[in-house]
Amino acid sequence: MLAQRNLRRQRLQRAVLMGSSLALVFIVLWWVGAFTQVRLSLTSVYFTSVPTSERIVIVALDDAALSAYGRSPALWSRAVYADLLGHLADDGARVVAFDLLFSEPAEGDAQLVEAMQMARTSRTRTRIVLATAGIQVQPAIGGDTRQGQLEFSNALMPTTELLAAADYLGYANVFPDVDGLIRRQISQVSQSGQNGYAFSLASYLAYLRIPALLAGQVIERDGDTLFVTPESRLKTDANGLWLQNYFGPPSVRGNMTFPVVSVLDVVNERVETGFFTDKIVLVGLVDTQGATDRYPVPAAEAGRLMSGVEIQANAIETLLQDRALVEMDTALEGVLIVVLTLGASLLYAYPRWPLKLILMSVLVSGWWLLAFVVFGTQNVMLNLLHPTLALAVPAILSIGLDITLETRLRRRSEFLLESTTAISEQRLSLERILPLVANDIQRMMDAKRGAIWVLDDDMRDWVIGYAWPDDYQATPSTKLAVLAAERSLQSQMQGHDMVVPTVYQQRANAVISLDAKQINRSEGRALVSLRELTAQVAPNIENALLYNQVLRQRDIVETVLANSPASIVLVDQRGRIVSHNQAFEQTFGPPDEATPDLFDQFADEPSENINPLRDQLQQNTRFRLEMDVGGRSYQVDGALVETTLQWVLVFNDVTGLIELTRLKTRMIRMASHDLKNPLSRVSGYAQLIEMSTELEPEVAHFLKHIDSAANEMLTLITELLDLEQLQADDGQRETIDFARLVAEVFSRHEPDATRKGQQLTKDLSAGSVQLEGQHRQLSQMVSNLIGNAIKYTPDGGNIVVRLSQNDTVIRFEVEDDGIGIPKAAQAKLFTEFYRVKSEATANISGTGLGLSLVRSVAEDHHGKVGVVSEAGQGSLFFVELPTKAVKSTTLESDGM
Ligand code: ADP
């Protein structure tokens, strides 16, 4: 997201930079007039054949006439012109304009003067225009001409007689543009203080029948506009030059813009009558061999020239149709170039290259279309060259830049792809991946020294996984950087080192640190490339690390299994063996290779021995059971592997243990039978002696000791027997009214308490409390707790027995204000044979078995015991039993 925005900003900056520099270049080129020729020749497209007003006819002094009257028309007998003029006037020509210089007197001048006078006074009042040519412009063009007109230092004037007989005198000079083409026409001129008009303008005025004397009053100048009549106006430059139009190409036979007839045809009356009626007739050299009066014009096809008289005809036609051309305003043109260049650059900033090309063609053709529309409606010739450049060059440059950038990007992503592929092929071997990564970094960044740090075997600490060169020693700052990188998960420069972690799922699994002094690139770019690479390789490194770890763990598990003395086997729910260890094979023999089946191993056993195991495999809880196979006893622990629904079975041979237990039971039974009687007798006789005889006080004292020692031994034996019996006892459970049981035991103990002057009270407000259990065991438990309270509470103390219950728990408590138990002793209190040794207990005899029995019974009923006590303050023992205390044959999971 951020990267996207950055990219956009970068592109925009690039476009602005490119646009403004290009705009500057274009403006400079435009200002110094570079490409003017191209620009001018481009304007030629504006000149297309347009129908004329058909008010102009050209009488050509052609090759035929030249060969009839001589090569130089100025030297012909003027009688020829007089004859011509006569014919034209007779036919009703409105204006006859001679595009010829009659500056030297010649033979027949008088006849011409006469003909001119006749024509002017004829019915049609034909106007006569004679041509002159101004010589040398003062000052030169481009100089200071405030008048908006040209000033000639001299002119080739017609002879005085001819001039006097004519209506108008017109300057026939033409001025080519820098490309040699004639586009401009003069308007007003001055020569020796006399004002004059261009040949075309003079002919036009004559056509309008404006007398030459009044012309100065009709024609008005306002700034750069010359009002020829109030309706028709010319836009002129500082020299009074204006842009004429062309209505067709130079005349060729069969394709003529203006009607052209040969002078010979006119004088020989080969032209139909009325051909010249009311027309402007221009007389001049047309399309003659070797004539110099021929010029390149924009409307011509390449190489074709137009004769002077034709150019004048086009100029007059321009005035007749009021179609003078206008060039764009210079300031506007400059602004336009800048605006178009910048605008186009911005427009090309974002699209991809095909769109840029399309945009460019649309814009360029749009500009050209606009130019033609403006030309068609306003006669304004928009600059075609510079705007076209302004619209096209930024697109081409921008595409070029795009291609360069894209190529570079592609090369880089190809490189990354190549490298990632190579790395992926190494799959899970860190030893092979790391050198490849290192190699890529060296190639990509020119990094001469660096190291890749990866997590160690325990995935706790960083160690150098690969370094180049081999002896590259990471500096202490690198280690700091590694830690920093690990914490912030960011790349950074630390001193002379560049550090980039490879991050997988927001956790760094490796860190690349480079000696930044050795990197040949700008810091920012190098970091970006390195980050891209690390993003690509991070998953591979992670996989390799995990794979390594799994391999190691598998090794450990396999070693443990192989060396375990217990037989371990992995089976599915039907008992098919998936794998087994050495001990299993040694104990039960090798399983069948083709169809290894656990129960095939036990095929010789009676099915009642094996079925419990078979049943357990169908359940989904871990279990422990005992099983006899081959005359030996096994404790079988089963744990379910939930992902595969397979069982791990561990067979422990407990034959020896069972033997021992039997031995122990036998020993205790023997003790009960064989020791109890003699001890009772010892105690009995000791009492007899004491009662029957008068004894020395010392002897009586010894006898008492014998009696109490015998009694202690008896108690010990009784309690041992009880405990053993309780543990071995899996007698029937019954529903017991626990409140009643407590009350019975309570009353048995009342005499003892009374003897010690103790206050023994009970709070059995819970009413009847039902539970499933063993009566004898529970009585023993209650009795032990009440007995202890009486025993360990000094004479006159208080003892309270309570029973309560809620929905889930039955709670039995015995509280006394006796000697209490130090905190340190409380933890071991319920272990067998443990007794608190203190001054307070020194004279109280006991075996340390009572509380362990209490715990045994409580746990056998799925309950628990606890004590709250403070030395010297008293104790509170409690037992909590679940309301439904049902003994299960399987072991509960928390028992394992
Ligand atoms: P015994 O009473 O035979 O020594 P027990 O297992 O019943 O064995 O008790 C273990 C020890 O816990 C006792 O030796 C005694 O120090 C301490 N003890 C038991 N009950 C109390 C009690 N109500 N007040 C103080 N100490 C007690």
Side-chain angles (χ1 to χ4, degrees):
M1 190 60 206
L2 198 72
Q4 198 82 7
R5 214 181 304 147
N6 272 344
L7 205 69
R8 287 183 79 83
R9 221 193 29 228
Q10 263 177 24
R11 280 171 172 263
L12 196 70
Q13 282 170 353
R14 199 180 81 185
V16 170
L17 194 73
M18 187 175 76
S20 28
S21 26
L22 272 180
L24 192 71
V25 170
F26 290 149
I27 281 290
V28 169
L29 288 178
W30 169 75
W31 194 251
V32 302
F35 309 135
T36 307
Q37 299 231 0
V38 185
R39 181 197 155 176
L40 284 172
S41 65
L42 269 179
T43 59
S44 301
V45 301
Y46 288 119
F47 298 97
T48 51
S49 298
V50 178
T52 63
S53 61
E54 294 184 356
R55 281 183 270 183
I56 296 174
V57 174
I58 294 173
V59 171
L61 309 184
D62 53 8
D63 283 329
L66 290 183
S67 52
Y69 302 120
R71 302 296 318 165
S72 175
L75 300 177
W76 287 358
S77 161
R78 300 264 154 86
V80 176
Y81 297 112
D83 193 10
L84 171 68
L85 186 55
H87 279 93
L88 294 174
D90 279 355
D91 203 35
R94 187 154 156 172
V95 176
V96 177
F98 290 95
D99 187 17
L100 293 162
L101 291 175
F102 297 144
S103 52
E104 298 295 324
E107 178 203 340
D109 268 350
Q111 274 167 279
L112 181 54
V113 169
E114 194 184 332
M116 285 163 77
Q117 280 160 355
M118 283 206 18
R120 291 177 65 189
T121 53
S122 70
R123 187 173 38 84
T124 45
R125 299 165 106 7
T126 305
R127 300 291 199 263
I128 314 292
V129 181
L130 291 185
T132 175
I135 297 170
Q136 208 176 354
V137 178
Q138 295 285 335
I141 285 189
D144 177 26
T145 48
R146 272 150 297 155
Q147 307 294 313
Q149 63 184 30
L150 290 176
E151 194 179 329
F152 290 114
S153 61
N154 208 339
L156 291 169
M157 287 289 183
T159 58
T160 327
E161 295 78 27
L162 290 177
L163 191 56
D167 292 90
Y168 271 95
L169 177 71
Y171 287 80
N173 301 59
V174 288
F175 289 95
D177 280 333
V178 288
D179 58 349
L181 268 61
I182 310 290
R183 292 184 184 81
R184 280 158 230 278
Q185 281 288 336
I186 48 178
S187 52
Q188 279 180 306
V189 296
S190 82
Q191 189 255 308
S192 320
Q194 293 272 308
N195 273 340
Y197 297 104
F199 184 77
S200 53
L201 204 53
S203 306
Y204 177 61
L205 290 170
Y207 178 78
L208 294 179
R209 297 191 187 284
I210 295 168
L213 283 174
L214 293 181
Q217 292 165 32
V218 174
I219 293 185
E220 267 177 37
R221 164 167 288 281
D222 180 12
D224 60 355
T225 309
L226 189 74
F227 290 87
V228 179
T229 64
E231 299 83 44
S232 84
R233 61 190 70 177
L234 294 175
K235 216 165 170 74
T236 65
D237 65 10
N239 294 306
L241 297 176
W242 55 283
L243 280 162
Q244 73 160 83
N245 209 333
Y246 283 93
F247 298 84
S251 292
V252 287
R253 225 169 290 283
N255 178 16
M256 290 177 287
T257 311
F258 298 98
V260 179
V261 289
S262 170
V263 64
L264 289 178
D265 288 339
V266 182
V267 294
N268 294 326
E269 298 183 359
R270 287 196 290 252
V271 180
E272 57 188 274
T273 319
F275 187 72
F276 299 108
T277 308
D278 215 25
K279 299 281 164 71
I280 300 173
V281 182
L282 296 178
V283 182
L285 283 159
V286 174
D287 204 15
T288 51
Q289 293 282 318
T292 51
D293 187 29
R294 282 148 48 93
Y295 309 90
V297 293
E301 297 137 33
R304 278 212 62 82
L305 302 175
M306 193 176 259
S307 58
V309 70
E310 272 185 283
I311 292 175
Q312 296 297 353
N314 276 294
I316 298 164
E317 184 72 34
T318 305
L319 291 166
L320 283 172
Q321 291 198 28
D322 192 17
R323 289 183 65 132
L325 305 182
V326 182
E327 276 181 315
M328 259 180 101
D329 186 76
T330 313
L332 182 68
E333 200 172 320
V335 171
L336 203 73
I337 290 171
V338 173
V339 168
L340 286 184
T341 316
L342 265 174
S345 300
L346 288 179
L347 214 59
Y348 298 140
Y350 298 128
R352 293 187 52 76
W353 69 267
L355 200 60
K356 281 183 197 175
L357 273 184
I358 294 171
L359 254 178
M360 180 187 86
S361 0
V362 168
L363 287 177
V364 170
S365 30
W367 177 257
W368 281 59
L369 198 72
L370 181 77
F372 283 109
V373 170
V374 169
F375 179 72
T377 55
Q378 315 283 317
N379 284 339
V380 174
M381 300 194 295
L382 297 186
N383 179 352
L384 289 175
L385 176 69
H386 293 102
T388 302
L389 289 179
L391 296 174
V393 175
I396 291 161
L397 271 188
S398 156
I399 289 172
L401 264 179
D402 278 0
I403 290 173
T404 324
L405 281 181
E406 208 145 294
T407 323
R408 204 183 300 153
L409 264 181
R410 188 164 307 161
R411 222 176 286 141
R412 198 162 73 181
S413 49
E414 264 168 20
F415 171 76
L416 279 176
L417 187 73
E418 224 173 75
S419 113
T420 319
T421 320
I423 288 166
S424 306
E425 276 166 4
Q426 303 311 315
R427 282 165 205 281
L428 301 169
S429 161
L430 261 188
E431 289 72 28
R432 278 186 288 176
I433 288 176
L434 293 185
L436 282 177
V437 176
N439 190 38
D440 286 345
I441 293 170
Q442 291 171 61
R443 261 175 68 199
M444 203 164 77
M445 326 229 348
D446 250 353
K448 307 257 175 352
R449 291 143 64 78
I452 305 173
W453 299 65
V454 291
L455 288 168
D456 68 2
D457 285 356
D458 300 332
M459 292 195 154
R460 279 206 200 101
D461 209 358
W462 299 97
V463 290
I464 289 195
Y466 188 85
W468 70 94
D470 286 345
D471 57 353
Y472 174 61
Q473 289 294 321
T475 59
S477 74
T478 306
K479 279 177 194 153
L480 279 179
V482 166
L483 286 175
E486 181 195 8
R487 251 178 250 132
S488 66
L489 299 183
Q490 268 172 13
S491 29
Q492 48 189 286
M493 300 287 295
Q494 184 105 14
H496 292 304
D497 299 312
M498 175 191 274
V499 181
V500 177
T502 71
V503 178
Y504 183 73
Q505 294 191 339
Q506 311 202 323
R507 199 181 67 89
N509 55 24
V511 182
I512 292 161
S513 77
L514 304 177
D515 186 344
K517 278 178 296 190
Q518 307 288 329
I519 295 171
N520 277 349
R521 297 214 200 158
S522 71
E523 184 184 311
R525 172 97 67 70
L527 267 181
V528 170
S529 314
L530 193 53
R531 249 186 244 151
E532 264 172 53
L533 183 79
T534 56
Q536 307 259 18
V537 300
N540 297 89
I541 291 181
E542 182 75 9
N543 282 345
L545 279 173
L546 288 178
Y547 183 66
N548 270 2
Q549 212 183 22
V550 167
L551 277 189
R552 235 181 342 272
Q553 280 168 354
R554 200 187 65 186
D555 279 354
I556 292 170
V557 170
E558 277 180 355
T559 314
V560 168
L561 284 185
N563 296 306
S564 166
S567 306
I568 301 171
V569 63
L570 182 67
V571 296
D572 67 13
Q573 287 187 308
R574 284 168 324 192
R576 217 179 59 87
I577 294 176
V578 181
S579 82
H580 64 279
N581 72 349
Q582 193 67 31
F584 179 87
E585 204 167 310
Q586 276 163 5
T587 310
F588 301 109
D592 186 80
E593 260 176 44
T595 52
D597 187 296
L598 181 64
F599 296 104
D600 287 353
Q601 303 285 112
F602 308 141
D604 298 339
E605 298 301 318
S607 58
E608 64 266 25
N609 279 7
I610 306 302
N611 283 346
L613 177 62
R614 207 188 282 276
D615 294 343
Q616 279 299 342
L617 295 189
Q618 303 307 317
Q619 324 249 309
N620 279 340
T621 45
R622 55 202 327 207
F623 62 87
R624 169 177 286 177
L625 52 78
E626 267 160 36
M627 197 175 109
D628 290 336
V629 180
R632 298 193 72 81
S633 299
Y634 295 92
Q635 189 180 57
V636 186
D637 285 302
L640 185 67
V641 183
E642 282 179 11
T643 46
T644 56
L645 283 182
Q646 292 171 336
W647 286 96
V648 178
L649 303 179
V650 181
F651 291 80
N652 275 307
D653 189 338
V654 291
T655 319
L657 266 180
I658 287 174
E659 276 303 313
L660 270 178
T661 313
R662 281 196 200 116
L663 202 66
K664 183 192 84 179
T665 312
R666 262 216 317 276
M667 284 277 293
I668 289 170
R669 297 241 165 95
M670 187 196 77
S672 78
H673 276 274
D674 300 349
L675 290 179
K676 243 181 153 177
N677 269 341
L679 275 175
S680 304
R681 286 212 301 277
V682 169
S683 164
Y685 283 114
Q687 283 170 21
L688 254 178
I689 295 170
E690 198 191 350
M691 284 189 299
S692 57
T693 339
E694 198 59 38
L695 293 171
E696 291 284 313
E698 214 172 21
V699 177
H701 181 72
F702 290 147
L703 270 177
K704 249 202 170 67
H705 269 294
I706 292 170
D707 184 32
S708 89
N711 272 325
E712 256 172 60
M713 277 174 80
L714 266 175
T715 319
L716 179 63
I717 287 165
T718 314
E719 284 188 6
L720 258 178
L721 264 176
D722 282 348
L723 192 64
E724 199 275 333
Q725 235 162 19
L726 281 180
Q727 282 170 350
D729 194 3
D730 52 350
Q732 286 303 304
R733 303 236 152 181
E734 55 193 320
T735 307
I736 292 165
D737 183 346
F738 193 50
R740 198 152 130 212
L741 182 148
V742 171
E744 279 168 16
V745 177
F746 180 87
S747 36
R748 279 214 302 272
H749 282 278
E750 272 177 321
D752 297 339
T754 315
R755 241 193 315 281
K756 290 187 76 177
Q758 290 165 333
Q759 189 80 29
L760 178 65
T761 49
K762 60 176 190 281
D763 172 8
L764 307 182
S765 53
S768 131
V769 175
Q770 304 288 324
L771 61 77
E772 291 282 317
Q774 284 181 286
H775 195 281
R776 212 172 76 81
Q777 287 190 4
L778 292 169
S779 299
Q780 191 74 55
M781 176 185 87
V782 171
S783 171
N784 281 8
L785 287 177
I786 298 176
N788 274 356
I790 295 170
K791 199 156 80 170
Y792 295 104
T793 301
D795 292 359
N798 292 299
I799 297 157
V800 189
V801 176
R802 292 189 202 91
L803 182 65
S804 61
Q805 80 170 328
N806 62 21
D807 286 351
T808 51
V809 180
I810 297 164
R811 186 175 163 101
F812 170 69
E813 286 178 4
V814 180
E815 187 176 2
D816 63 56
D817 56 359
I819 60 170
I821 304 153
K823 287 270 178 286
Q826 289 178 14
K828 288 179 275 179
L829 217 52
F830 296 93
T831 51
E832 286 168 18
F833 299 109
Y834 179 78
R835 302 201 69 217
V836 178
K837 288 194 178 67
S838 68
E839 240 173 79
T841 61
N843 292 320
I844 304 171
S845 66
T847 58
L849 285 171
L851 286 181
S852 82
L853 185 134
V854 169
R855 190 180 66 173
S856 257
V857 175
E859 285 176 357
D860 206 24
H861 287 79
H862 308 286
K864 60 173 187 183
V865 291
V867 63
V868 185
S869 180
E870 195 85 28
Q873 305 278 313
S875 317
L876 185 150
F877 283 84
F878 65 88
V879 177
E880 284 181 348
L881 302 172
T883 43
K884 286 256 177 288
V886 184
K887 188 175 176 178
S888 156
T889 47
T890 58
L891 276 161
E892 288 304 318
S893 45
D894 60 353
M896 294 185 69

